[in-house]
Amino acid sequence: MDTSKGSAETKEGETTPLAAIGDDERNIQKNYWIEHSVDLTVEAMMLDSKAFDLDKEERPEVLSLLPPFKGKSILELGAGIGRFTGDLAKEAGEVLALDFIENVIQKNESINGHFKNVKFMCADVTSPDLKIGSASIDLIFSNWLLMYLSDTEVENLAARMMRWLKVGGFIFFRESCFHQSGDSKRRNNPTHYREPRFYTKICWVFQKISSHDDKGLQRFLDNVQYKCAGILRYERVFGHGFVSTGGLETTKEFVAKLELKPGQKVLDVGCGIGGGDFYMSDNFNVEVVGIDLSVNMVSFALERAIGRQCAVEFEVADCTTKTYPDHAFDVIYSRDTILHIHDKPALFKNFFKWLKPGGKVLISDYCKCSESPSAEFKEYIKQRGYDLHDLEAYGQMLKDAGFKEVIAEDRTDQFLSVLQRELDLVEKEKEDFISDFSEEDYNDIVDGWKAKLIRSSSGEQRWGLFIAKKKI
């Protein structure tokens, strides 16, 4: 088949035509799926003997995550035998269902051909012969497709999908990451089980917008404050699984105040790499939903979740735009995260709606004193993009959102104690720290912790603990 022109550089500096690389990859994947699509059943397509039961559970969930698509144009890539095609066709204005195995797409047409708004096409998504009009699609949907493409093919397809999308349109994809899914025996498996970080954003839905401004908070977090190496560096200081003050020690203390009961549901806003969520699930038998704006954080959390038997799920999400049903959670928990949020009153009102009657919210966060900040502290706040308040004002925002029994505690003395202990440990293990990271990383941590100690000792930077309850 035809592929894009060009070349790739090898380790020796020589070049190999990208067309040859692409042809080889496509032939391998095509032969793999010809082998596994002799039996055109949902079990064969999902490569799992329990696929029938899995499909009944997961298909409604996947569809529920899609943006509204009534009357919209949908491009379904890797449509297979039509597990989702019919559901999409019921509401869409038009659906183009595409798959690169001929008997598979024919089976889809035999099942869903009665939908007059569906067009069926046998084509490879990587082929330059695939012609789809620019800005013609409202929603591009794929379920387990990108893992059957090479890295270069994924990158090229992403660029093409953005051209196909209308402004305001969405891309939805779902992939298996890290390891094989399904229990079917395979003589060979050319599937690419990537880390979620490869896909740039681990969220399930992308939206194309007309703005060219790409310097939002998420980019800052993932490219400045919470680079992958930086996260591991913080974890070295806070302890395994944690990127917030005091690590497991403060987590145990604060979670004890929630009086968690088995079966309760917890929302962790700013979940980081998941240590607190695993602790709550493992020790109190609760369900935890962890959300974080940082792709890198959630990627690490998902990695740490592999092999664990716990009721924890993670999602890249912006808590200021994310929606949940009213009364969805028993507890909302957040550690040193809401300092990034500028419209705290609106967020706290959402917290109030999302909590069940009698539910609790617990927040630890950076705060400031009631006096005007010094020039140095003001510059620090600006550089980080923080929105800090004094403890009284912070507590009042929770009261204004409807919460009762609001407790606002100044935990700055504890903060100072923890900071000093963490700093002492890093300095004690200087050689090992530098060996594992770098001298620059060591200096950044030491200088940062010393600066926080100075600001907090002077009274400018405070650390607050806030507990509030929704009246029954």
Side-chain angles (χ1 to χ4, degrees):
M1 84 180 256
D2 294 329
T3 54
S4 302
K5 305 289 185 182
S7 63
E9 189 172 346
T10 66
K11 289 182 179 179
E12 292 76 25
E14 300 172 351
T15 59
T16 301
L18 283 177
I21 297 173
D23 279 341
D24 187 51
E25 173 78 22
R26 299 323 306 145
N27 287 333
I28 291 172
Q29 297 292 353
K30 191 164 188 176
N31 290 333
Y32 175 71
W33 273 108
I34 288 173
E35 177 185 346
H36 290 284
S37 59
V38 174
D39 180 19
L40 295 174
T41 63
V42 67
E43 286 79 13
M45 294 298 98
M46 293 179 68
L47 299 169
D48 197 301
S49 62
K50 303 180 181 67
F52 181 78
D53 292 330
L54 290 171
D55 178 59
K56 285 197 300 184
E57 290 186 16
E58 74 169 15
R59 186 151 38 108
E61 180 182 357
V62 170
L63 291 167
S64 73
L65 295 167
L66 297 179
F69 57 88
K70 187 173 184 178
K72 302 291 187 179
S73 59
I74 298 178
L75 172 61
E76 184 185 9
L77 301 178
I81 61 174
R83 199 155 65 93
F84 289 95
T85 305
D87 289 300
L88 297 173
K90 290 174 185 177
E91 291 194 30
E94 56 184 2
V95 178
L96 174 57
L98 183 151
D99 200 281
F100 77 146
I101 303 296
E102 188 170 359
N103 67 322
V104 170
I105 199 67
Q106 288 174 347
K107 177 71 171 182
N108 191 339
E109 187 168 8
S110 72
I111 295 171
N112 295 302
H114 62 285
F115 289 105
K116 302 307 179 185
N117 60 337
V118 182
K119 180 179 178 181
F120 302 88
M121 180 185 295
C122 183
D124 193 311
V125 296
T126 68
S127 173
D129 296 329
L130 178 60
K131 306 299 182 184
I132 296 173
S134 297
S136 63
I137 305 295
D138 293 298
L139 170 63
I140 298 175
F141 175 94
S142 77
N143 182 62
W144 295 337
L145 168 70
L146 303 182
M147 58 188 180
Y148 300 116
L149 308 181
S150 70
D151 291 359
T152 300
E153 287 169 341
V154 172
E155 292 166 1
N156 291 339
L157 178 61
R160 297 178 80 190
M161 288 193 293
M162 291 306 294
R163 290 198 297 271
W164 298 337
L165 270 186
K166 298 175 182 178
V167 171
F170 290 88
I171 297 172
F172 174 100
F173 71 91
R174 176 172 180 254
E175 297 297 325
S176 290
C177 296
F178 306 121
H179 57 80
Q180 177 178 309
S181 59
D183 59 8
S184 293
K185 293 182 179 179
R186 309 170 206 190
R187 290 184 299 173
N188 69 303
N189 188 356
T191 310
H192 302 285
Y193 300 107
R194 303 177 172 96
E195 292 186 358
R197 285 192 296 275
F198 173 84
Y199 298 113
T200 306
K201 300 186 177 188
I202 196 173
C203 50
W204 288 43
V205 182
F206 293 73
Q207 184 177 23
K208 179 178 179 179
I209 59 175
S210 58
S211 171
H212 298 288
D213 181 9
D214 193 28
K215 295 184 179 180
L217 177 57
Q218 187 173 58
R219 187 180 180 189
F220 169 78
L221 293 176
D222 283 326
N223 292 288
V224 180
Q225 190 168 0
Y226 299 133
K227 291 181 180 179
C228 292
I231 291 171
L232 295 175
R233 192 177 69 177
Y234 282 132
E235 184 184 32
R236 177 65 170 267
V237 177
F238 295 123
H240 182 70
F242 294 92
V243 287
S244 59
T245 300
L248 180 60
E249 177 188 298
T250 53
T251 297
K252 286 182 175 180
E253 179 191 351
F254 295 167
V255 168
K257 297 178 180 295
L258 296 172
E259 300 177 317
L260 295 173
K261 303 292 190 297
Q264 288 187 322
K265 193 164 185 179
V266 179
L267 174 65
D268 183 1
V269 177
C271 63
I273 57 178
D277 301 331
F278 297 135
Y279 173 77
M280 286 186 277
S281 177
D282 290 343
N283 291 277
F284 299 93
N285 196 23
V286 294
E287 298 178 29
V288 187
V289 176
I291 64 172
D292 203 292
L293 189 58
S294 166
V295 178
N296 297 337
M297 290 286 195
V298 172
S299 183
F300 277 117
L302 286 169
E303 289 178 32
R304 275 69 185 294
I306 294 174
R308 300 183 71 109
Q309 299 298 315
C310 57
V312 179
E313 62 181 74
F314 297 103
E315 180 183 359
V316 172
D318 183 343
C319 64
T320 66
T321 57
K322 183 69 179 177
T323 59
Y324 292 103
D326 291 357
H327 310 154
F329 299 99
D330 298 283
V331 167
I332 296 178
Y333 177 87
S334 183
R335 296 294 309 278
D336 305 345
T337 293
I338 297 175
L339 50 89
H340 294 290
I341 308 302
H342 286 257
D343 192 354
K344 291 178 177 59
L347 180 65
F348 293 160
K349 287 176 183 177
N350 282 335
F351 283 2
F352 187 82
K353 289 192 300 180
W354 298 341
L355 277 175
K356 298 175 183 178
K360 291 181 180 179
V361 59
L362 183 147
I363 299 166
S364 71
D365 214 357
Y366 287 11
C367 296
K368 64 182 184 68
C369 64
S370 57
E371 289 82 25
S372 298
S374 65
E376 292 79 11
F377 191 41
K378 189 174 182 179
E379 179 58 30
Y380 166 78
I381 295 171
K382 179 181 178 181
Q383 186 268 331
R384 292 287 180 139
Y386 291 164
D387 176 67
L388 304 186
H389 298 266
D390 63 65
L391 277 84
E392 183 178 352
Y394 208 115
Q396 187 61 48
M397 285 188 285
L398 287 165
K399 292 177 182 176
D400 292 342
F403 287 100
K404 307 297 180 184
E405 303 177 32
V406 176
I407 298 171
E409 294 183 359
D410 188 336
R411 291 295 188 106
T412 308
D413 287 344
Q414 182 180 13
F415 188 59
L416 286 165
S417 176
V418 172
L419 284 172
Q420 189 62 60
R421 186 168 64 251
E422 291 166 346
L423 177 61
D424 291 344
L425 182 61
V426 171
E427 290 183 323
K428 180 181 178 181
E429 299 179 351
K430 178 178 179 178
E431 290 185 7
D432 289 340
F433 194 100
I434 292 174
S435 176
D436 292 339
F437 298 98
S438 70
E439 188 166 359
E440 180 182 0
D441 287 315
Y442 172 82
N443 291 333
D444 283 346
I445 290 293
V446 170
D447 292 346
W449 259 240
K450 287 181 177 179
K452 281 190 281 190
L453 282 166
I454 292 171
R455 290 193 299 266
S456 299
S457 296
S458 70
E460 281 211 298
Q461 182 169 333
R462 317 298 293 173
W463 195 46
L465 177 65
F466 306 92
I467 304 171
K469 188 173 182 180
K470 182 174 180 178
K471 189 176 180 181
I472 297 176

